[in-house]
Amino acid sequence: MSTFNAPKGTYDLLPPDSAKFLAVREAIAAPLRNSGYGYVETPGFENVELFARGVGESTDIVTKEMYTLTTKGGDELALRPEGTASVLRAALEANLHKTGNLPVKLWYSGSYYRYERPQKGRYRHFSQVGAEAIGAEDPLLDAELIILADQAYRSLGLREFRILLNSLGDKECRPVYRTALQDFLRGLDLDEDTRRRVDINPLRVLDDKRPDVQKQLTGAPVLRDYLCDACKAYHEEVRELLTAAGVAFEDDVKLVRGLDYYTRTTFEFVHDGLGSQSAVGGGGRYDGLSEMIGGPALPSVGWALGVDRTVLALEAEGIELELPPTTEVFAVPLGEEARQVLFTTVTELRRAGVATDFAYGGKGLKNAMKSANRSGARYAIVAGERDLAEGVVQLKDLESGEQNPVPLAEVVTTLLEKRA
Ligand code: HAM
């Protein structure tokens, strides 16, 4: 205990669980690295206006959930609530779209911040791994991204997730639908807050979880019936590509998503073992975002997968990741001379690439062996005065308990051979 605790809605990643988080991040990144996506890293905060314009003035994220701050210099900044606007901003700023090599494919991994009501699976600080393909309108790209997310989840052993798919139309057909939906919603018995939402973001009303609202929504116009021919054809192609790739999905005409920049393809990955915070990832096309933040027309598509929720999904399915032990060899010196000698051996082992740790702090044999076992190491090297006098160390297999003397000069090669 100290005087301080982690702030509300946050938690610390500590060993051994933290290794799981790293492995999940790596598993999500691996298919991206393998598919032409380059790593991008942007600052943890941005000009607040970037998110207001990009994510949308009327979204919960911008109106309620952003951590904003005014710097001593008077800049209005916000901790990033998501990655897409930042990544696009960075690509535009560096003129990556002008190299004649579109789409610009980028992936990222990092911390995001939303002032939400904390509960299991919903935190104020969380981690995403994301991917964005910027500057191409091609249904193959939408399909590629969904296939890669599916591959990532499957590589972790996850099976109980579903892919929800929808099209939100484009700047031709969505406004027509929006008006039709507003006409319908204005005829309902809704509270003042919701009526205001009807004016500024009517599609979000479809997401309202309250049963009395849901009941009234039966018979609401459905976007699918308003899609223009181009959007319909695009969506159909994405669906066919996924089917051809053997990736199962469910059409969800109600899927809206909580960010305003989406057009056409939208999708969410939901896990059935997670309760109310079931979305483990989500994304879609955002053909108008670049123009919304002052850039040229750059149709793009991407997703972000939540690392925290993916870890919870693994736990829900009872999946133990096979993580290599962090320590392979543990050195146990008995006496001051052995401390010096074994420390040299440890350094040599580490330089040879063997993960090695040491019983620091002058522990007795019993305690030191306890540390060795706890470290997960397969081997311990133990040496006392008598061993050193004979030029050997004791090499102990912690699994079988077998122990043999090995000449000090041969310890490194012997261990390298054993682990091969
Ligand atoms: P999002 O749906 O807001 O999309 O977030 C993606 C994922 O991040 C969610 O599915 C969830 O797993 C995780 N997540 C979001 N908020 C929290 C939270 N408070 N606590 C824990 N996990 C959370 C985006 O952020 C878009 N930028 C995705 C995208 C990329 N669209 C296009 N490109």
Side-chain angles (χ1 to χ4, degrees), residues 82 84 114 116 121 123 128 132 257 261-262 279-281 302-303:
E82 63 107 42
T84 309
R114 295 183 193 174
E116 298 204 71
Y123 310 105
Q128 290 183 343
E132 314 290 350
R257 310 268 302 126
Y261 49 61
Y262 290 112
V280 285
W303 51 241

Side-chain angles (χ1 to χ4, degrees), residues 12 18 89 112 208 236 268 270 290 319 334 410:
D12 303 304
S18 49
R89 194 268 308 136
Y112 297 85
D208 202 307
E236 198 42 47
E268 218 155 73
V270 292
S290 174
I319 297 168
L334 305 170
E410 287 166 28

Side-chain angles (χ1 to χ4, degrees), residues 238-309:
V238 174
R239 296 176 76 257
E240 279 166 15
L241 288 163
L242 293 177
T243 305
V247 172
F249 59 89
E250 295 170 22
D251 292 305
D252 182 352
V253 295
K254 283 195 174 165
L255 180 72
V256 181
R257 310 268 302 126
L259 305 95
D260 276 355
Y261 49 61
Y262 290 112
T263 50
R264 293 196 168 172
T265 313
T266 44
F267 48 86
E268 218 155 73
F269 298 85
V270 292
H271 193 277
D272 291 325
L274 293 188
S276 65
Q277 303 308 309
S278 63
V280 285
R285 195 153 261 292
Y286 48 95
D287 294 340
L289 178 56
S290 174
E291 286 154 297
M292 278 150 67
I293 63 169
L298 279 175
S300 308
V301 57
W303 51 241
L305 309 189
V307 178
D308 312 71
R309 288 187 196 169

Side-chain angles (χ1 to χ4, degrees), residues 127-146:
S127 296
Q128 290 183 343
V129 175
E132 314 290 350
I134 297 163
E137 187 186 288
D138 186 340
L140 287 158
L141 262 187
D142 307 43
E144 164 176 299
L145 278 160
I146 296 171

Side-chain angles (χ1 to χ4, degrees), residues 81-305:
E82 63 107 42
T84 309
S86 312
V87 167
L88 186 55
R89 194 268 308 136
L92 289 170
E93 190 171 333
N95 283 320
L96 298 186
H97 59 297
K98 288 192 183 155
T99 58
N101 189 20
L102 296 177
V104 176
K105 301 211 292 186
L106 300 169
W107 76 274
Y108 51 94
S109 173
S111 294
Y112 297 85
Y113 308 87
R114 295 183 193 174
Y115 188 74
E116 298 204 71
R117 200 167 42 79
Q119 64 181 88
K120 184 158 188 193
R122 187 163 71 193
Y123 310 105
R124 292 181 171 177
H125 165 261
F126 58 96
S127 296
Q128 290 183 343
V129 175
E132 314 290 350
I134 297 163
E137 187 186 288
D138 186 340
L140 287 158
L141 262 187
D142 307 43
E144 164 176 299
L145 278 160
I146 296 171
I147 292 166
L148 292 176
D150 178 78
Q151 192 182 327
Y153 286 137
R154 285 185 189 282
S155 76
L156 286 164
L158 289 170
R159 294 293 177 268
E160 290 163 27
F161 66 92
R162 292 177 291 130
I163 301 173
L164 309 180
L165 186 69
N166 194 18
S167 172
L168 288 183
D170 63 8
K171 60 175 186 288
E172 302 302 321
C173 53
R174 191 154 72 212
V176 183
Y177 169 70
R178 192 173 185 271
T179 309
L181 181 63
Q182 279 174 326
D183 287 347
F184 172 88
L185 295 172
R186 286 186 180 131
L188 305 182
D189 176 24
L190 300 168
D191 60 88
E192 202 178 314
D193 258 10
T194 315
R195 280 212 302 274
R196 204 170 310 125
R197 191 172 287 165
V198 171
D199 292 334
I200 52 179
N201 201 348
L203 272 73
R204 286 300 285 171
V205 179
L206 298 176
D207 251 6
D208 202 307
K209 301 277 185 297
R210 291 171 296 181
D212 60 310
V213 177
Q214 273 306 321
K215 215 161 105 200
Q216 295 194 68
L217 289 175
T218 346
V222 182
L223 182 51
R224 193 182 43 192
D225 300 335
Y226 286 76
L227 291 182
C228 60
D229 287 345
C231 284
K232 253 187 232 163
Y234 194 96
H235 194 55
E236 198 42 47
E237 200 172 336
V238 174
R239 296 176 76 257
E240 279 166 15
L241 288 163
L242 293 177
T243 305
V247 172
F249 59 89
E250 295 170 22
D251 292 305
D252 182 352
V253 295
K254 283 195 174 165
L255 180 72
V256 181
R257 310 268 302 126
L259 305 95
D260 276 355
Y261 49 61
Y262 290 112
T263 50
R264 293 196 168 172
T265 313
T266 44
F267 48 86
E268 218 155 73
F269 298 85
V270 292
H271 193 277
D272 291 325
L274 293 188
S276 65
Q277 303 308 309
S278 63
V280 285
R285 195 153 261 292
Y286 48 95
D287 294 340
L289 178 56
S290 174
E291 286 154 297
M292 278 150 67
I293 63 169
L298 279 175
S300 308
V301 57
W303 51 241
L305 309 189

